[in-house]
Amino acid sequence: MKSSELQAPAIQVLERMFSLLDVLAQHQDPVSLKQISESTGLHPSTAHRILNDLALGRFVDRPEAGSYRLGMRLLELGNLVKARLDVREAAIGPMRELHKLTHQPVNLSVRQGDEIVYIERTYSERSGMQVVRAVGGRAPLHLTSVGKLFLASDDPQRVRAYATRTGLAGHTRNSLTDLAALEREMALVRQRGLARDDEELELGVRCMAAGIYDDQGKLIAGLSISAPADRLEEAWLPKLKETAARISAALGYRGT
């Protein structure tokens, strides 16, 4: 089998979609359907159908009938990928140092919608803790220390909207499933500048988290230490905050 065949998408419509996006990426201004069809070799009706579906997902914009350009959804996804890559690169060294101090799992997480996504983790068998959520795993915002950081950065209306969307479903008897309780918790997070998970996601596991900020002062990730409930030490807090601040500084944050 030829190498070009190995690299081709297995689903034909995806191959066509990629070719359409590539053509749009070559032009700064909107491109006419006729020009797109000629450049890709696709029949106008086929190109039109796929472009309409891409427009529904905001991957393509249609500024006027018969012309197309790349959509804002691609920018949003690109910024998300950029943030993950940049923050992971800046965080991995400090995370390893923090792990050597605590001998407990150190997690790097970002927000995606109503969940956090774990994008890096340093841990060892010495922690005595089984890592349940691997890199790429997800968890609800209100049940995690990092998720609470992101909720605390939202205005009250957005927090209430989150509660309505998710129903504040719980995982353990300690989970915050009441909006009033969650709002009180958010006030504490804002006051302290850090967040905790007191066996709210998993029984027997507690976490503490500090925020990581970019050069615009935006919260883009959270750094957390997870440990068996009886082993999480308050003495780790200053080092956790210092490590998060160090990562933020590497990303250009100049806040206090």
Side-chain angles (χ1 to χ4, degrees), residues 2 12 14 22 40 43 48 64 84 92-94 98 121 124 145 151 154 183 185-186 193 199 208-209 237 240-241 249:
K2 297 179 181 178
Q12 186 183 54
L14 291 180
D22 284 341
T40 60
H43 191 278
H48 182 262
E64 57 185 31
R84 288 181 183 174
I92 190 65
L98 185 58
R121 171 174 279 132
S124 64
S145 55
L151 283 175
D154 283 345
E183 289 175 330
E185 182 83 354
M186 294 304 94
E199 299 184 73
M208 54 176 65
L237 274 175
L240 172 64
K241 296 181 73 172

Side-chain angles (χ1 to χ4, degrees), residues 186-207:
M186 294 304 94
L188 288 175
V189 172
R190 295 184 193 102
Q191 178 184 339
R192 296 169 177 168
L194 55 90
R196 302 171 185 271
D197 159 17
D198 185 17
E199 299 184 73
E200 295 161 54
L201 183 63
E202 301 171 34
L203 287 175
V205 178
R206 296 170 61 211
C207 304

